[in-house]
Amino acid sequence: DGGITQSPKYLFRKEGQNVTLSCEQNLNHDAMYWYRQDPGQGLRLIYYSQIVNDFQKGDIAEGYSVSREKKESFPLTVTSAQKNPTAFYLCASRANNYGYTFGSGTRLTVV
Amino acid sequence: AQSVAQPEDQVNVAEGNPLTVKCTYSVSGNPYLFWYVQYPNRGLQFLLKYITGDNLVKGSYGFEAEFNKSQTSFHLKKPSALVSDSALYFCAVRDPYGNNRLAFGKGNQVVVIP
């Protein structure tokens, strides 16, 4: 089955540590997105990529970094500069009809 | 900028009663509109979309939505709500001026009371 796989499902980060969230898709979609979701809030766009080797900042990019070396993969690194990283992170890819397919999310907690 | 508004934070409905989740949009040009549902600790799941054609769009799990151009609305409806429909619902619109990104509403929590 085609879809998006996010790993790990749960991730714990120590203060001052960088962590990387994985997002892999086998849908052959060009565009991919990273969102942050906080309790009781909507989705906030962190970064997006429309094509391999290209990406743009979203609304809350500070403290995050991404890469897009392969069409299938769009990893997100949460750096130590992100002061409040505890949240639910969602990855998505976009089909030609503009609809998104979402992964199942990674819950990041600072310990 | 393209945007959607979901005016209610929470919708409470008794099981078996009709369910409506409201969404209004603001776009330039023809709107591409979407509804998604999110269950706790899960990603968003696609319910339905309107791109062109009939104003009444049927989607997954018995949901439908009515596109109303004059009222700029795209309300999500279900004739008879189930307890399992309790979830967070997001309306979204394509932003052709923002690299075709989807602009999401803030979401509506639906609580179906047994």
Side-chain angles (χ1 to χ4, degrees), chain B residues 24-112:
Chain B
T24 58
Y25 65 88
S26 174
V27 302
S28 300
N30 295 322
Y32 286 30
L33 295 157
F34 302 81
W35 275 103
Y36 289 84
V37 61
Q38 184 183 31
Y39 297 98
N41 296 312
R42 302 296 297 274
L44 277 67
Q45 297 178 30
F46 171 79
L47 281 178
L48 51 79
K49 67 178 185 289
Y50 173 83
I51 293 178
T52 187
D54 289 341
N55 290 341
L56 185 63
V57 180
K58 294 189 182 296
S60 307
Y61 313 121
F63 283 93
E64 59 188 28
E66 186 171 8
F67 171 69
N68 188 316
K69 189 172 183 177
S70 63
Q71 297 185 8
T72 63
S73 66
F74 189 56
H75 301 332
L76 181 70
K77 299 180 180 183
K78 187 172 184 180
S80 178
L82 303 173
V83 172
S84 58
D85 293 328
S86 298
L88 191 56
Y89 291 81
F90 289 94
C91 182
V93 65
R94 178 181 76 107
D95 184 356
Y97 305 105
N99 294 322
N100 289 314
R101 294 155 47 182
L102 289 187
F104 287 89
K106 64 179 176 62
N108 280 130
Q109 184 67 48
V110 169
V111 177
V112 181

Side-chain angles (χ1 to χ4, degrees), chain A residues 6-32:
Chain A
Q6 288 187 242
S7 61
K9 190 171 180 64
Y10 299 96
L11 186 58
F12 298 91
R13 192 194 92 166
K14 295 180 180 179
E15 295 283 350
Q17 187 180 46
N18 292 357
V19 292
T20 297
L21 284 60
S22 171
C23 178
E24 303 278 334
Q25 56 104 354
N26 60 4
L27 299 165
N28 200 34
H29 290 170
D30 285 315
M32 297 186 73

Side-chain angles (χ1 to χ4, degrees), chain A residues 8-64:
Chain A
K9 190 171 180 64
Y10 299 96
L11 186 58
F12 298 91
R13 192 194 92 166
K14 295 180 180 179
E15 295 283 350
Q17 187 180 46
N18 292 357
V19 292
T20 297
L21 284 60
S22 171
C23 178
E24 303 278 334
Q25 56 104 354
N26 60 4
L27 299 165
N28 200 34
H29 290 170
D30 285 315
M32 297 186 73
Y33 305 82
W34 273 106
Y35 288 90
R36 170 177 173 145
Q37 187 177 27
D38 292 284
Q41 297 191 27
L43 305 177
R44 292 188 289 170
L45 182 65
I46 305 172
Y47 268 99
Y48 65 104
S49 168
Q50 296 193 93
I51 200 166
V52 175
N53 292 322
D54 183 57
F55 50 83
Q56 289 84 39
K57 293 182 179 179
D59 302 317
I60 56 164
E62 185 175 352
Y64 300 96

